[in-house]
Amino acid sequence: MTSPLPPFDWDIFCCVVDNFGDIGVTWRLARQLKQEGALPAQKSEVQVRFWVDDLASFARICPALDPAQDGQWVDGIYVQHWHERLPADMTPARVVIEAFACELPAPFIERMAEQTTPPCWINLEYLSAESWVEDCHGLASPQQVGSRRLDKYFFFPGFTARTGGLLCEHGLIVERERWQQDEAGLTAYWASLGLPPQREDELRVSLFTYESEALRSLVEGWRQSVTPVTLLLPLGRSLDDVLIGAGLAEAIPGARAGDLLQAGNLTIKLLPMTDQAGYDRLLWSCDLNLVRGEDSFVRAQWAGRPFLWHIYQQEEDAHMVKLDGFLDHYLSPLPAPAGQWLRRFNHALNRGEYTGELWAQWPQYAAIWQQHGRTWPQRLLADGDLVTRLVKFLESRI
């Protein structure tokens, strides 16, 4: 006999897109809300229910999840498989989050309207650095459900005080600092990946991007570099471009996690997919991180290290506008020559252009980029993280 479910404080709905992007962000949100999402005047333990339509993809980043179970507890969060039929005894939580405009099922909305005190309905939007999000953040959109009106509030993650901020767990920066300063721990970490300790003259780079011909020239530059480069490459969409750039196209068909490949002064270590904590440690350990989408992009910023962002491609180059919106914020503290170089570098990666000459300038700008990477997280957190701002936003609405 199964135990009855508790009343939930938070319902989060996620429709899995592109395998790991949306689910990565919302799973981090769910776990942080479980730990830090106490609502105003709440004295009991926070209860979070997480609705996901694709449990198989979710399990790739959450190994404790059993995709065959319709409902289960993972890390103190109730994971509910989201399909057409709702559980018969389901009651909506006090706050309902519709992640990335995934559209709540109509029967669920009807149950929301039936509650004596309807839930607060939040539409969590995609992260954007464009200026217009400040004007839209927090706005209500009235929804007529039968004879009742429900307000759906737009909540925009962002980079300024007038947006919803970014996901960052309390204590994360302290944990990262401890990790990066622990030389013995880093040696043990590299050994766990089958690598020797990092040499003083060596660069270690992680790469988790989409396909891009720019990777071919970048990897070719690493192969021919005077400085030894070790590339940590999780198996995925960028594998072919990387191995072609390294002159190792023949290795593509048989490439497996755990393989160690050599090309000139470049060493490539192929990694399996990891959970989110493992990916954080990889970002914290490398000198440069190439990341994509939204989740890995935000985590690279908390790593306090240089990074390049391969943004999700959209029609009519709409993604380049979003990229430049972010770069306007990120590059503003830098001297003009460094900022111009970094903007060109990000543009080249996202347009699939030749990057050899840009990488050749790494020695010139590396130190200032590294210093900027260390101070950037403090700028972002000056007005609070996303969960802190979300709970504050709800104070007068529940």
Side-chain angles (χ1 to χ4, degrees):
M1 182 175 177
T2 58
S3 301
L5 296 176
F8 287 98
D9 304 294
W10 301 86
D11 268 320
I12 307 172
F13 283 79
C14 175
C15 180
V16 176
V17 177
D18 192 33
N19 290 330
F20 311 113
D22 292 10
I23 187 64
V25 174
T26 48
W27 180 232
R28 288 193 192 276
L29 173 62
R31 287 186 296 154
Q32 190 176 351
L33 287 173
K34 174 64 181 175
Q35 299 300 319
E36 305 167 20
L39 294 167
Q42 181 170 347
K43 296 181 180 179
S44 58
E45 180 183 1
V46 177
Q47 298 290 352
V48 179
R49 178 167 49 194
F50 190 37
W51 301 75
V52 183
D53 67 339
D54 181 356
L55 295 182
S57 291
F58 184 18
R60 295 284 304 279
I61 62 170
C62 181
L65 182 78
D66 180 359
Q69 289 194 42
D70 202 54
Q72 60 198 288
W73 292 95
V74 180
D75 292 347
I77 296 163
Y78 193 76
V79 178
Q80 175 68 57
H81 187 198
W82 173 14
H83 41 67
E84 291 183 4
R85 297 184 62 182
L86 298 177
D89 57 349
M90 189 279 305
T91 301
R94 295 175 65 191
V95 182
V96 176
I97 297 178
E98 178 181 283
F100 312 126
C102 63
E103 296 189 12
L104 300 182
F108 189 90
I109 297 174
E110 291 167 4
R111 292 199 193 180
M112 290 168 60
E114 292 168 359
Q115 305 306 304
T116 304
T117 303
C120 188
W121 185 358
I122 301 290
N123 181 7
L124 179 67
E125 290 284 353
Y126 285 104
L127 171 63
S128 177
E130 294 173 272
S131 58
W132 62 265
V133 304
E134 293 187 335
D135 296 326
C136 297
H137 176 64
L139 293 183
S141 173
Q143 309 287 313
Q144 194 67 36
V145 186
S147 61
R148 196 161 198 174
R149 193 190 94 159
L150 301 180
D151 283 331
K152 176 165 66 171
Y153 295 96
F154 292 96
F155 198 90
F156 282 86
F159 296 88
T160 69
R162 293 176 56 196
T163 65
L166 302 175
L167 278 174
C168 183
E169 305 88 338
H170 294 175
L172 179 72
I173 304 302
V174 172
E175 182 183 356
R176 182 211 75 199
E177 284 289 304
R178 188 181 301 118
W179 175 273
Q180 291 178 339
Q181 294 171 13
D182 182 0
E183 292 186 11
L186 283 168
T187 296
Y189 174 71
W190 294 126
S192 74
L193 299 182
L195 293 171
Q198 184 174 2
R199 293 161 42 183
E200 285 191 13
D201 65 339
E202 175 192 3
L203 283 177
R204 293 207 164 165
V205 180
S206 81
L207 192 151
F208 181 62
T209 70
Y210 306 111
E211 304 89 338
S212 173
E213 289 194 8
L215 296 176
R216 301 183 184 187
S217 55
L218 183 57
V219 171
E220 183 180 359
W222 292 338
R223 177 169 60 89
Q224 299 173 351
S225 172
V226 174
T227 301
V229 177
T230 297
L231 177 62
L232 289 302
L233 181 65
L235 291 178
R237 295 171 58 169
S238 56
L239 175 68
D240 289 9
D241 285 323
V242 168
L243 294 188
I244 290 171
L248 299 171
E250 72 281 356
I252 293 173
R256 298 290 183 271
D259 288 354
L260 189 68
L261 307 173
Q262 193 72 39
N265 227 7
L266 171 66
T267 302
I268 302 174
K269 179 68 177 183
L270 300 184
L271 303 178
M273 285 295 296
T274 182
D275 61 12
Q276 290 183 320
Y279 186 62
D280 277 337
R281 291 190 289 269
L282 176 64
L283 294 173
W284 297 350
S285 303
C286 289
D287 303 296
L288 171 66
N289 297 300
L290 280 74
V291 294
R292 76 186 202 195
E294 180 171 328
D295 184 54
S296 58
F297 164 57
V298 172
R299 304 311 282 195
Q301 293 175 70
W302 303 141
R305 296 286 170 84
F307 70 93
L308 293 169
W309 184 24
H310 196 190
I311 190 171
Y312 188 81
Q313 186 172 357
Q314 296 178 302
E315 293 181 359
E316 299 181 355
D317 277 353
H319 60 295
M320 297 302 294
V321 177
K322 296 182 178 181
L323 173 65
D324 275 325
F326 166 69
L327 292 175
D328 288 345
H329 289 288
Y330 182 66
L331 303 179
S332 62
L334 293 175
Q340 291 164 3
W341 170 71
L342 264 180
R343 191 180 296 271
R344 291 197 305 271
F345 212 154
N346 277 276
H347 279 207
L349 174 63
N350 282 278
R351 294 189 184 279
E353 297 172 348
Y354 179 75
T355 59
E357 293 178 0
L358 290 162
W359 176 252
Q361 296 176 71
W362 161 270
Q364 181 180 350
Y365 296 114
I368 193 168
W369 195 6
Q370 289 162 348
Q371 177 60 32
H372 179 50
R374 286 190 288 270
T375 59
W376 178 244
Q378 281 67 42
R379 290 174 176 264
L380 294 179
L381 292 172
D383 297 295
D385 63 281
L386 185 146
V387 166
T388 299
R389 298 191 203 189
L390 178 57
V391 170
K392 185 174 181 61
F393 177 81
L394 293 168
E395 284 180 353
S396 61
R397 294 174 174 85
I398 59 173

